[in-house]
Amino acid sequence: MSDTGLVLKDVYRVFPGDITAVSDVNLEIENGEYIVFLGPSGCGKTTTLRLIGGHDDPSSGTITIDGELLNGVSPAQRPVTTVFQHYALFPHKSVLQNVEFGLKMQGMDKTAREQQATAAIELVGLSAMMHRKPRELSGGQQQRVALARVLVTRPKAILLDEPLGDLDRLLQMKMRVELRGLQRELGITFIHVTHNQEEALSMADRIVVMGDAIIQQVGTPTELARHPRNEFVAKFMGDNNVLHGTIESASGGNVVINTPHGKVEVPGSGTAGEKGSMAIRASAVNISTDAVPAVNGVRVRLDFVEYLGDSIKLHLDFNGEPFLAKVDEERFGEVQAYEGKEVTATWSVEDGHLLEQ
Ligand SMILES: Nc1ncnc2c1ncn2[C@@H]1O[C@H](COP(=O)(O)OP(=O)(O)OP(=O)(O)O)[C@@H](O)[C@H]1O
Ligand SMILES: [Mg+2]
């Protein structure tokens, strides 16, 4: 176990009524990482964040930062701080007063707290607006004030629960870049909770995918997009087709699985007769008017076409089941497909991958 960074070991949180919100969480976060907890509603993201921030206690397990045990330590005494949603800024106080408020409560004298607050405001690039009220700032600037207010406490990690949740899409995009840039400048660990895949993929050094109270997978955005470990991650990360069947044979580093979608060949190993599942990314699926090949190909009907700007998502139908492909405009034009037309969807062996059962 690492003695630097934030470490969650065998962490559980069971609420009265036998509600297991967080189960068997083991996670090591290095100092300075941008970590995103991603998962559907109710999977335990906020609960995990509250356990780290000290707003709730684990039923069992330990949480340490740089080797120091956090269990039982109050939020104010922890070297990790939560930025609450809506930033909770005082509307009638200036930026400076907002930022120094916590230090004032701690009883720090005026000169010292002004000095520290000014330094934090400078860090987030708001020195020129120090005497403005929150309403005289943009949404992005308000978030910077909220961060400055947390930074004066010199935390080792900053926790953010759905920080971009309520913002309109354009502002969200802008804030992603801002927040990420600020984290890089500060070099502090950020733990950011969201249920938005795109947000996670665009911001995280590593994503922790949660589902059903457990960690389903931890990985870089690329790892998760290319190598989802199981069906949950493959489907939740989006645009994956998951096929199930029985392993027919295994040789030369590949397995052949018999599925209702025909035979599929995929890199990996397995035992004939056992269950096998594989995932194939929509963007790795090609469409053509060719005959269906013996492996890795299905005849599908084009249900509808979704224009994404830089690519085209094809919602296909295989015997009543959805199948997805993402192609570029050129390819789409070549096939001359129209909604209702039958086409052949194929993919390469190396683009598919085996999932854990
Ligand atoms: N104080 C509580 N008492 C009982 N059950 C709780 C309590 N807090 C959370 N839960 C339950 O624990 C589970 C996880 O909740 P949590 O708030 O961590 O989910 P989440 O992943 O943050 O979801 P969302 O994306 O909707 O915010 C849910 O089933 C929730 O109903
Ligand atoms: Mg939540």
Side-chain angles (χ1 to χ4, degrees):
M1 198 172 78
S2 175
D3 58 2
T4 61
L6 187 68
V7 179
L8 282 77
K9 190 157 171 18
D10 302 329
V11 170
Y12 285 77
R13 179 62 169 110
V14 183
F15 289 111
D18 221 14
I19 301 162
T20 303
V22 172
S23 177
D24 192 26
V25 164
N26 283 283
L27 183 64
E28 296 192 4
I29 296 171
E30 281 171 40
N31 289 329
E33 273 194 296
Y34 201 111
I35 294 287
V36 174
F37 285 173
L38 173 69
S41 181
C43 73
K45 304 179 298 293
T46 295
T47 305
T48 309
L49 208 68
R50 287 170 53 81
L51 296 176
I52 298 171
H55 301 281
D56 189 13
D57 292 313
S59 308
S60 62
T62 58
I63 301 174
T64 56
I65 192 160
D66 294 340
E68 175 198 348
L69 186 66
L70 295 185
N71 295 53
V73 178
S74 74
Q77 303 304 318
R78 293 190 184 206
V80 295
T81 314
T82 308
V83 179
F84 289 101
Q85 212 173 2
H86 305 305
Y87 327 134
L89 299 177
F90 298 111
H92 303 298
K93 291 191 196 291
S94 69
V95 169
L96 179 64
Q97 287 164 338
N98 263 286
V99 175
E100 68 172 2
F101 183 76
L103 304 176
K104 193 173 171 181
M105 289 296 105
Q106 285 172 16
M108 190 182 286
D109 73 70
K110 192 169 159 57
T111 319
R113 68 178 194 248
E114 271 195 17
Q115 194 186 359
Q116 289 191 18
T118 307
I121 292 166
E122 197 178 316
L123 268 178
V124 299
L126 286 181
S127 299
M129 303 176 189
M130 209 146 66
H131 301 293
R132 288 202 201 169
K133 301 274 162 59
R135 66 166 183 280
E136 295 162 336
L137 302 172
S138 73
Q141 290 161 346
Q142 289 181 33
Q143 188 169 51
R144 285 175 168 253
V145 178
L147 279 166
R149 208 164 54 165
V150 162
L151 288 170
V152 282
T153 65
R154 304 188 187 190
K156 289 181 176 172
I158 292 183
L159 314 178
L160 308 110
D161 196 351
E162 309 261 4
L164 312 181
D166 291 345
L167 306 175
D168 72 57
R169 194 173 151 76
L170 212 62
L171 190 55
Q172 254 185 33
M173 304 293 231
K174 200 169 153 255
M175 295 294 294
R176 284 182 196 169
V177 179
E178 277 222 9
L179 210 51
R180 186 64 238 234
L182 196 60
Q183 187 269 345
R184 286 232 169 90
E185 270 171 46
L186 298 169
I188 295 176
T189 306
F190 272 42
I191 305 179
H192 169 146
V193 163
T194 182
H195 53 260
N196 182 323
Q197 291 86 344
E198 194 192 65
E199 188 174 307
L201 289 168
S202 69
M203 296 183 76
D205 287 322
R206 285 192 303 153
I207 300 173
V208 177
V209 182
M210 292 191 70
D212 299 328
I214 64 169
I215 293 180
Q216 300 280 347
Q217 188 171 1
V218 181
T220 64
T222 317
E223 282 164 2
L224 290 173
R226 297 204 163 255
H227 303 286
R229 178 203 279 171
N230 57 24
E231 182 170 2
F232 180 93
V233 180
K235 292 211 162 140
F236 189 71
M237 295 312 291
D239 291 349
N240 271 296
N241 298 291
V242 175
L243 309 183
H244 302 282
T246 306
I247 297 175
E248 182 185 278
S249 62
S251 66
N254 290 345
V255 295
V256 174
I257 309 173
N258 259 322
T259 79
H261 294 70
K263 277 189 212 290
V264 298
E265 186 174 358
V266 55
S269 57
T271 310
E274 288 191 348
K275 280 189 184 165
S277 306
M278 61 87 67
I280 178 73
R281 274 175 296 124
S283 56
V285 173
N286 193 16
I287 57 160
S288 70
T289 50
D290 300 345
V292 181
V295 291
N296 293 359
V298 283
R299 193 74 176 163
V300 286
R301 199 188 65 232
L302 182 53
D303 255 356
F304 68 94
V305 177
E306 191 183 341
Y307 291 90
L308 299 175
D310 54 348
S311 66
I312 297 175
K313 190 154 145 188
L314 304 176
H315 295 258
L316 306 160
D317 174 296
F318 172 78
N319 291 343
E321 272 186 59
F323 198 85
L324 288 175
K326 230 188 226 174
V327 296
D328 60 23
E329 227 160 305
E330 197 183 341
R331 184 74 207 142
F332 185 64
E334 278 165 20
V335 178
Q336 297 190 315
Y338 48 84
E339 291 177 3
K341 178 170 173 161
E342 291 218 332
V343 292
T344 297
T346 56
W347 59 93
S348 311
V349 173
E350 60 273 15
D351 284 329
H353 77 273
L354 215 50
L355 297 175
E356 280 176 16
Q357 286 301 308

